[in-house]
Amino acid sequence: MANVTSSGSNQPPLKAVIIPVTPLQQNCTLFWCTQTNKAALVDPGGDLDKLKAAVAQTGVDLEKLLVTHGHLDHCGQTGMLAKELGLPIEGPQEEDRFWIAQLDDDGPRWGMEAHTFEPDRWLNDGDTVTVGNLTLDVIHCPGHTPGHVVFYHAPSRLAIVGDVLFQGSIGRTDFPRGNHADLINAITQKLWPLGDDVTFIPGHGATSQFGYERRTNMFVADDILAARA
């Protein structure tokens, strides 16, 4: 597990750890409200024993499961975990229903166990999700998949962005119903306005900050996009 937040001198409202899962090393995020100890897993795509061990190690009370999008490394075993633990699933946006509907078929193709499920709540742009006393904004960011959402906790300056944006890269758009223009628009029009100081947890790889990506990311840096305009 990799810590994203540290206690410092004052107790932050949110703490988070990253637990890579599946052969694709997808960043499942366990975050919790430090006031209530209530927690959520974002994108529990597989390695459920590993995830349950992380929950036990941190001593938090798991309240719900959140999903950024319908690809199997992010949510292939979410339904299994929800059923086992009796937890609700929130997300993604309903345009990703077709991805979730084919999880039973996609699993064998990738050598992973994956099963379709029905979220308890589909999410839309402008919605919020709560975990304990935390409230996170839901931002619909299509492009990698049509129903991809991002979870943003403004007081912590932290965004969980799935496969929209990576350190030095962006999400693939060559999957069914992917759209490169939509993805660039989502990043520049919905994520950048949140602020350069926002730290983000991507679906794979290391964390970064929006400001750093605006300076250095070869796909969405400000000067590169300006040159293409």
Side-chain angles (χ1 to χ4, degrees):
M1 292 190 298
N3 283 296
V4 179
T5 53
S6 58
S7 59
S9 56
N10 297 312
Q11 180 81 314
L14 179 154
K15 286 188 176 182
V17 294
I18 297 171
I19 310 129
V21 296
T22 82
L24 299 178
Q25 289 296 280
Q26 187 272 125
N27 286 335
C28 177
T29 301
L30 171 64
F31 74 88
W32 62 96
C33 169
T34 56
Q35 291 182 341
T36 65
N37 212 40
K38 296 290 186 179
L41 282 167
V42 183
D43 290 352
D47 295 333
L48 299 187
D49 287 343
K50 185 177 182 182
L51 295 180
K52 288 183 287 185
V55 170
Q57 182 179 335
T58 53
V60 295
D61 180 13
L62 198 58
E63 183 178 25
K64 63 182 61 173
L65 308 177
L66 303 176
V67 176
T68 63
H69 66 291
H71 287 164
L72 85 164
D73 54 326
H74 290 258
C75 69
Q77 295 186 13
T78 299
M80 297 165 57
L81 186 60
K83 183 176 180 180
E84 178 184 347
L85 300 181
L87 297 173
I89 302 169
E90 298 185 8
Q93 200 268 356
E94 196 168 2
E95 290 296 319
D96 268 19
R97 179 185 285 275
F98 79 101
W99 277 115
I100 294 173
Q102 65 188 41
L103 286 172
D104 288 290
D105 295 326
D106 285 344
R109 294 192 192 110
W110 289 85
M112 291 185 274
E113 184 177 5
H115 297 291
T116 188
F117 61 91
E118 177 76 15
D120 295 88
R121 180 188 177 203
W122 296 102
L123 298 173
N124 290 302
D125 194 65
D127 285 347
T128 59
V129 296
T130 60
V131 177
N133 293 337
L134 303 172
T135 299
L136 287 80
D137 297 314
V138 175
I139 305 170
H140 181 213
C141 291
H144 178 65
T145 69
H148 200 303
V149 297
V150 163
F151 300 104
Y152 173 56
H153 187 243
S156 299
R157 315 299 291 153
L158 179 69
I160 303 171
V161 304
D163 286 354
V164 172
L165 179 69
F166 304 103
Q167 185 184 83
S169 189
I170 59 174
R172 290 175 57 177
T173 56
D174 56 340
F175 293 116
R177 296 189 61 196
N179 186 295
H180 181 78
D182 285 351
L183 182 64
I184 299 300
N185 184 68
I187 293 169
T188 59
Q189 302 302 312
K190 293 188 172 183
L191 298 187
W192 287 173
L194 300 177
D196 288 353
D197 63 329
V198 172
T199 295
F200 68 91
I201 301 173
H204 305 265
T207 62
S208 183
Q209 288 191 323
F210 290 155
Y212 180 79
E213 299 308 312
R214 293 185 70 169
R215 295 190 304 272
T216 66
N217 191 305
M218 63 181 293
F219 296 95
V220 286
D222 291 352
D223 57 349
I224 289 176
L225 293 180
R228 293 174 183 167

